[in-house]
């Protein structure tokens, strides 16, 4: 899938989209539970959702970065069913917003594929 930005396309072909938890220079994927103190590092809208949730709820957070300048691209918060709860696009230029939307589609497809495989 072409995002429209060659650097991002190269990062996707090099790293792929993570389906498991972990991190590399392009992305980070982690599991949080309700009330998790690691939510302090999340954007405020995501922080509120995680901290106010009961301990029994689990969330997946997926962040994307541009490694060269350490800039943030986007963050996505999913519930235990894989449904998107919150998203934050750190870039406000229309071209980069389109890139973030493509990344969202790729993450959704990856999480859907994981649920089907399970």
């Amino acid at each position: 899938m072409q995002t429209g930005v060659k650097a991002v396309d190269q990062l996707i072909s090099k790293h792929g989209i993570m389906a498991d938890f972990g991190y590399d220079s392009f992305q980070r994927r982690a599991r949080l539970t309700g009330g998790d103190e690691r939510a302090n590092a999340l954007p405020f809208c995501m922080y509120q959702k995680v901290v106010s949730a009961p301990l029994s709820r689990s969330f997946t957070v997926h962040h994307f970065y541009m490694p060269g300048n350490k800039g943030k691209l986007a963050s996505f918060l999913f519930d235990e069913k894989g449904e998107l709860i919150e998203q934050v696009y750190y870039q406000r230029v229309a071209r980069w917003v389109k890139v973030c939307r493509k990344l969202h589609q790729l993450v959704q497809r990856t999480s859907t594929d994981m649920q089907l495989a399970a």
Side-chain angles (χ1 to χ4, degrees), residues 6-111:
K6 187 176 180 180
V8 176
D9 291 339
Q10 289 173 344
L11 288 167
I12 292 171
S13 64
K14 179 180 178 183
H15 297 286
I17 300 295
M18 283 188 176
D20 291 326
F21 303 110
Y23 63 92
D24 57 32
S25 61
F26 175 53
Q27 59 194 318
R28 184 179 65 188
R29 186 174 175 105
R31 170 148 337 256
L32 300 173
T33 57
D36 198 325
E37 65 185 43
R38 293 178 295 164
N40 292 335
L42 296 176
F44 187 70
C45 58
M46 293 181 184
Y47 166 80
Q48 285 181 311
K49 299 280 185 182
V50 173
V51 170
S52 64
L55 292 172
S56 61
R57 295 231 15 227
S58 63
F59 301 93
T60 300
V61 64
H62 201 132
H63 302 282
F64 288 96
Y65 307 94
M66 284 302 292
N69 60 5
K70 304 293 185 206
K72 295 179 182 178
L73 284 177
S75 294
F76 303 101
L77 181 68
F78 299 95
D79 64 6
E80 53 272 319
K81 297 176 187 173
E83 295 179 18
L84 181 69
I85 297 174
E86 291 286 341
Q87 65 187 15
V88 175
Y89 298 157
Y90 297 99
Q91 307 297 321
R92 291 192 172 88
V93 178
R95 177 178 168 203
W96 285 98
V97 170
K98 288 180 184 176
V99 169
C100 293
R101 287 183 182 143
K102 297 278 186 174
L103 289 172
H104 173 241
Q105 290 173 356
L106 290 171
V107 170
Q108 279 290 111
R109 186 176 303 141
T110 302
S111 65

